[in-house]
Amino acid sequence: MNYNNVASYSVNLTDNEAKDILKQIIPKAVKFYGVFNGTGSFKLDKTKTIPGEPNYAQVIDEKITSIEDLKKWVEETFTKDVAQTVFFSRYLTPGIGSLPLYKDYEGKLYNDTGNGGHGWAFDYLTDTAKVISQKDNVAVVELDRTLFNNPDIKLTLRIEYINDKWKLASRLD
């Protein structure tokens, strides 16, 4: 695929190229929804907790050892603004009276095990993807989505080409 790697990043995707991009991006994005919704999360050592906060268990992962690592990992798939809106503002800096899902403590990452979480009920039919519009470094793509394996809605997603990489620039839900 050649995305005209110039300063303005003008893209011209075919439907098949968009399908290939979504087949790479969507599974990663779904994983992040799981990591932040309490399913598909990291391995935890529940014997290691934050003193006075027994619900926070230490995350055991070689690559993700801090909130900064977690943010960088999410921003490999999502644009910064979507990552901030969908994940960071809700789960890392929640409103008054709510606890963050993840905390750094003594140089290690901890996860709130009291978070109920839920599964992910959507499937994304990337083979149905069609490019709706394109401008500069952004493409808008429409595809079918199912909910509990039943037809749901047509989903319109934005994908953005940033620093030689396609990123999801919209929510999946």
Side-chain angles (χ1 to χ4, degrees):
M1 290 182 248
N2 180 3
Y3 302 110
N4 304 322
N5 193 8
V6 295
S8 67
Y9 291 127
S10 181
V11 298
N12 188 16
L13 294 177
T14 66
D15 288 344
N16 284 335
E17 289 170 333
K19 290 173 189 180
D20 290 341
I21 292 164
L22 292 177
K23 285 178 184 178
Q24 297 297 312
I25 294 176
I26 289 177
K28 292 176 188 177
V30 167
K31 182 173 184 170
F32 293 123
Y33 277 87
V35 164
F36 284 95
N37 285 326
T39 60
S41 59
F42 302 106
K43 290 182 183 178
L44 303 174
D45 183 345
K46 292 183 179 181
T47 66
K48 295 179 181 172
T49 62
I50 297 175
E53 299 182 86
N55 280 348
Y56 283 96
Q58 184 179 338
V59 172
I60 307 300
D61 189 279
E62 292 177 10
K63 295 178 184 173
I64 312 299
T65 60
S66 67
I67 287 177
E68 191 59 35
D69 291 344
L70 183 61
K71 286 181 175 182
K72 287 178 186 174
W73 185 50
V74 172
E75 289 172 356
E76 288 176 9
T77 300
F78 288 93
T79 59
K80 287 185 180 203
D81 59 330
V82 173
Q84 176 62 34
T85 302
V86 176
F87 302 112
F88 306 156
S89 65
R90 293 174 57 198
Y91 298 103
L92 301 180
T93 55
I96 297 171
S98 298
L99 295 173
L101 182 60
Y102 292 95
K103 283 186 179 184
D104 284 328
Y105 175 74
E106 293 187 342
K108 305 227 184 302
L109 184 63
Y110 287 78
N111 177 230
D112 180 0
T113 60
N115 177 37
H118 52 82
W120 195 251
F122 299 112
D123 283 319
Y124 303 90
L125 307 178
T126 54
D127 286 333
T128 66
K130 294 191 184 318
V131 176
I132 302 301
S133 65
Q134 307 181 62
K135 184 174 181 191
D136 299 326
N137 65 326
V138 176
V140 177
V141 183
E142 185 178 77
L143 68 149
D144 292 330
R145 180 177 81 177
T146 65
L147 176 61
F148 296 112
N149 294 322
N150 294 315
D152 183 36
I153 62 169
K154 290 230 180 254
L155 181 64
T156 303
L157 298 175
R158 290 180 62 238
I159 55 175
E160 192 169 337
Y161 196 62
I162 304 170
N163 297 327
D164 299 325
K165 187 172 185 176
W166 283 101
K167 296 186 180 195
L168 194 56
S170 58
R171 303 174 64 104
L172 285 181
D173 56 351

